[in-house]
Structure formats: structure tokens, C-alpha cells
Amino acid sequence: MGFWEPLFFWIFAIGAVGSSLAVLLFRSPLYSALSLIGGFFCFAGLYALLSAHFMAVTQVLVYGGAIMVLFVFIIMLLNLSDEDLGARRFSLHHLLAVGVGVAVFAFSVISIWAIFDHEQVDAARLEAAQAYDQALEGTGEEDAEPAFLLRTPSRVPGLYADLSEASLSEAYDERLDSWEAGEGDYADDKYDRFDPTRPMVLPPALAEGAQGPAEDINTRLSDHRSGGSLFGTIEPISILLVNRFVVPFELTAILLLAAIVGAVIIAKRRLT
Amino acid sequence: MSWEPTLAHYLLIAAATFSIGLVGVMVRRNAITLFMCIELMLNSVNLTFIAFSKYRVDLDGHIFAFFVMAVAAAEAAVGLAIILHLFRHKKSVNVDDAAELRY
């Protein structure tokens, strides 16, 4: 159990919520934009804490570096004065909106609370803490902080309530190993190359002409698992994007092309 | 709530920022600020996806969040172009001034 991870989590969490409130409350859109940029950096920090390294960097690049630049550019271009922004007034409409927001938040809290079987989670944490203490018995470190738990299941199968970094590496390496050996749940064959002649519903072991593990060094994931986990790094995500998720990938490219052309046409002045 | 972040912590942060963005969309009258609150909601959904992705030890959440990000970028570009075009005609970015379907 570290001191730094929870500290940074709370810094980024309070930063994210605080900056969202600032976006809501500032009158000038420029101040809202600047606090939103701060909020995006806090979100990127939260993604890094969740071992989503590629997504954290992409968040900063895409949101902070492209989208918010566009927003600030448009705000500066429009150059609204204070009178244009309108006076602040309170009305029943604002109260109702806040009420709806609080209702949505309450609903989310209740559903989040319901995901976890709290007795089971607490029992698993207690058991792990006792196992940790027992393992330390006899050595000189009985008073050390109990290790935060490994893997605590939640009420939903396949979903963990608590997961430490070490257990994440271990669990993900197991998945990669089972994938490379050709075993594992057939739904995990998402890393295989898209082969339209192969029926997608059969498990790999039963399919006609089942593919064995990749022999070529270039199709194996890089073997730096001794250093750290590959979870959330760019290599597995890129494999997924060009194998299993190639169709959404190409469609997104078409969407971006349409957006570029549309934005240019809508925003340009008439040539006459 | 414990100090150590668990899945529930991340989900609650996402729910809070989503609700704040929702209130912002309903309350703010400036079109650009409205748009920023929409981006805030999209970000909170991304956080939910990535949190679940870690606690299921599965990268599908990252992929979905990546596509949400790409679509949000495309939407921001086109939406701001529309706001700019509207500003040229109405001389205002207040959404109340654009409440009718006629030009």
C-alpha cells in the first residue's frame, strides 16, 4: 500500500470535480475553457493511475492539444464583451436543472453501490490482510502496513472490486500467455488476425484449420514482461485496433474525413 | 470510503463529473460553454470505460474510449464550425437566440 498512489488519486479526483464545477460556474467562456483544460489533465492523471498509459497520453494530445486549442481559438475569434455574455440571474429553471443533476448522481451512486457485495469484499480484504500478517510472522516486519489486496471479486462475475498493480500485471500476463498458446476462452481470440473464411463462433481448438500459436517473432508481443506489464501500453491496443476492431477503425477514419470537409465548408465565408 | 482508490472511487468521480456536465448543459446559455459541458460528459464516460477495463483486465474499454475520443474530436470541429456560422448571422452565441428553426 503506497502513500503516493492514493495521494495522487485524491489530488486528481478533487481537481477533476473542482474543474468541472468551475466550468459550470464561470461566466466567461474563456475561464471555463481554461478550467476544462486543467480538468483534462486531471483526467489524464486518473487514466495513468488506472494503468491506461496510452489513453493518458492520447487524452493530453487529443483533448488538450487539439480540441481545447480549437475551443480557445473560437472563443478568442468571437471576442464577446461582457454585455454580450448576459447578466446572471437565478430562476426556477436552474433549480430544476440542479435537481435533475442530483437525481442522476444519486441514481449512479445507488447502482455503483449495488455492484459490490460488500460483505464478500470486506471478508476478502480481511483474509488477505491476515495472510499478509501471517506471511510476515517470524520476520522482523510484523508491524508493516498490511498489503492492499490482490484481487477482490465483486458481485459481477469477471469484475474485480480491488486490484493491485502487481495482480494486474499477473492477470494480464496470464491472458497473454493463454492467447499465445492458443488456449483460453474463445472470446479472447480478438487478437487473431481477421479471417473472413473462419467461423467466428467456434472455439479455436474446434475450428477447421485452427491456427496454432504464432511462430514468427514479428507477430509475437514484445517480451519485456520481466520489466512491467503490457496492460494499457500501445502494443496490445494497436494489435486490437488493426485486427479485431479494424472495421470501427476504418469507419472512424471516414468519419473524421467527413468532419474535416464539413467543418471547412460550414465555417468559410461566401466567396462572392 | 477508504483512502486507497478502488473501482467504486473511479466510478463515483465519473458519475460526479457526468452530473455536473449534465447540469451545465441544462443551465448554461452560451453555446460554447454548453459544448464544453458536453465534452466533460464524454470524458466522464471515458473514465468509466477505462476504470472498468482495468478491473476486468481487458483492453476493450480502452478501445471504446479511444473511439469516443475520436468521435468527440470530429464533433467538436463540426459543432464549433456551426456555432461560428450561427454567430455570423445572429451576432450572438446565446442559444436562446437560436431557438427557432427559421434563419
Side-chain angles (χ1 to χ4, degrees):
Chain A
M1 171 147 84
F3 160 74
W4 295 106
E5 288 89 11
L7 175 72
F8 277 112
F9 168 75
W10 285 109
I11 290 175
F12 289 135
I14 292 173
V17 176
S19 75
S20 350
L21 283 172
V23 169
L24 184 61
L25 295 173
F26 273 129
R27 226 165 58 110
S28 159
L30 186 62
Y31 295 159
S32 296
L34 295 176
S35 33
L36 191 59
I37 293 173
F40 285 158
F41 275 94
C42 294
F43 272 101
L46 287 174
Y47 296 166
L49 283 167
L50 285 167
S51 317
H53 312 295
F54 169 70
M55 289 312 293
V57 173
T58 309
Q59 168 91 357
V60 174
L61 285 177
V62 170
Y63 270 111
I67 294 178
M68 292 317 294
V69 166
L70 188 60
F71 267 101
V72 171
F73 186 81
I74 297 288
I75 291 168
M76 297 296 200
L77 189 67
L78 295 182
N79 202 17
L80 304 163
S81 62
D82 273 346
E83 297 89 56
D84 295 337
L85 287 174
R88 164 167 294 195
R89 49 183 188 281
F90 293 103
S91 63
L92 178 66
H93 163 252
H94 291 203
L95 210 60
L96 282 176
V98 172
V100 168
V102 167
V104 165
F105 182 63
F107 174 70
S108 319
V109 168
I110 291 171
S111 21
I112 290 166
W113 194 256
I115 297 176
F116 303 103
D117 185 352
H118 295 277
E119 291 87 26
Q120 191 186 2
V121 168
D122 288 338
R125 281 184 193 156
L126 186 65
E127 187 188 310
Q130 284 169 347
Y132 184 81
D133 287 340
Q134 252 183 347
L136 283 190
E137 228 167 290
T139 70
E141 301 170 16
E142 278 95 345
D143 290 334
E145 286 283 331
F148 193 71
L149 201 244
L150 329 178
R151 306 183 206 186
T152 314
S154 71
R155 204 191 281 275
V156 177
L159 183 69
Y160 299 113
D162 301 328
L163 192 67
S164 71
E165 204 58 39
S167 302
L168 174 68
S169 301
E170 191 185 308
Y172 193 61
D173 285 350
E174 275 171 26
R175 286 206 178 192
L176 290 180
D177 286 337
S178 72
W179 158 55
E180 288 197 343
E183 300 146 4
D185 189 1
Y186 79 95
D188 285 347
D189 70 351
K190 63 184 79 167
Y191 288 100
D192 292 345
R193 301 207 178 276
F194 186 72
D195 181 5
T197 64
R198 179 177 151 190
M200 298 264 290
V201 293
L202 285 178
L206 299 179
E208 294 293 325
Q211 311 285 321
E215 296 297 336
D216 185 1
I217 191 71
N218 290 326
T219 58
R220 281 184 172 273
L221 288 174
S222 57
D223 197 356
H224 53 78
R225 292 177 217 170
S226 54
S229 173
L230 284 174
F231 183 82
T233 56
I234 194 167
E235 193 165 344
I237 292 177
S238 57
I239 292 177
L240 277 176
L241 275 178
V242 296
N243 284 332
R244 178 77 167 187
F245 295 102
V246 63
V247 173
F249 184 64
E250 301 298 342
L251 288 177
T252 307
I254 296 173
L255 174 74
L256 287 170
L257 175 66
I260 290 171
V261 171
V264 168
I265 288 181
I266 291 173
K268 68 191 260 190
R269 293 183 187 275
R270 289 179 181 281
L271 290 177
T272 54
Chain B
M1 293 234 101
S2 65
W3 288 113
E4 190 85 26
T6 65
L7 174 60
H9 289 77
Y10 289 102
L11 297 181
L12 286 173
I13 301 292
T17 47
F18 185 84
S19 322
I20 292 171
L22 182 65
V23 172
V25 166
M26 290 191 280
V27 165
R28 297 301 300 241
R29 298 290 99 203
N30 191 335
I32 301 174
T33 314
L34 199 70
F35 220 70
M36 286 196 278
C37 294
I38 293 175
E39 296 293 330
L40 192 58
M41 288 201 282
L42 287 171
N43 257 286
S44 76
V45 167
N46 270 359
L47 178 61
T48 309
F49 272 121
I50 290 174
F52 273 116
S53 171
K54 173 180 175 178
Y55 288 90
R56 288 190 63 229
V57 194
D58 192 1
L59 283 176
D60 283 354
H62 291 221
I63 302 292
F64 211 112
F66 178 77
F67 286 124
V68 168
M69 223 178 254
V71 170
E75 166 209 3
V78 175
L80 287 173
I82 291 175
I83 290 174
L84 198 62
H85 196 73
L86 201 62
F87 178 76
R88 287 203 199 114
H89 285 268
K90 303 278 184 184
K91 303 293 182 288
S92 154
V93 286
N94 199 337
V95 292
D96 288 331
D97 294 339
E100 295 156 353
L101 278 176
R102 55 169 302 186
Y103 224 0

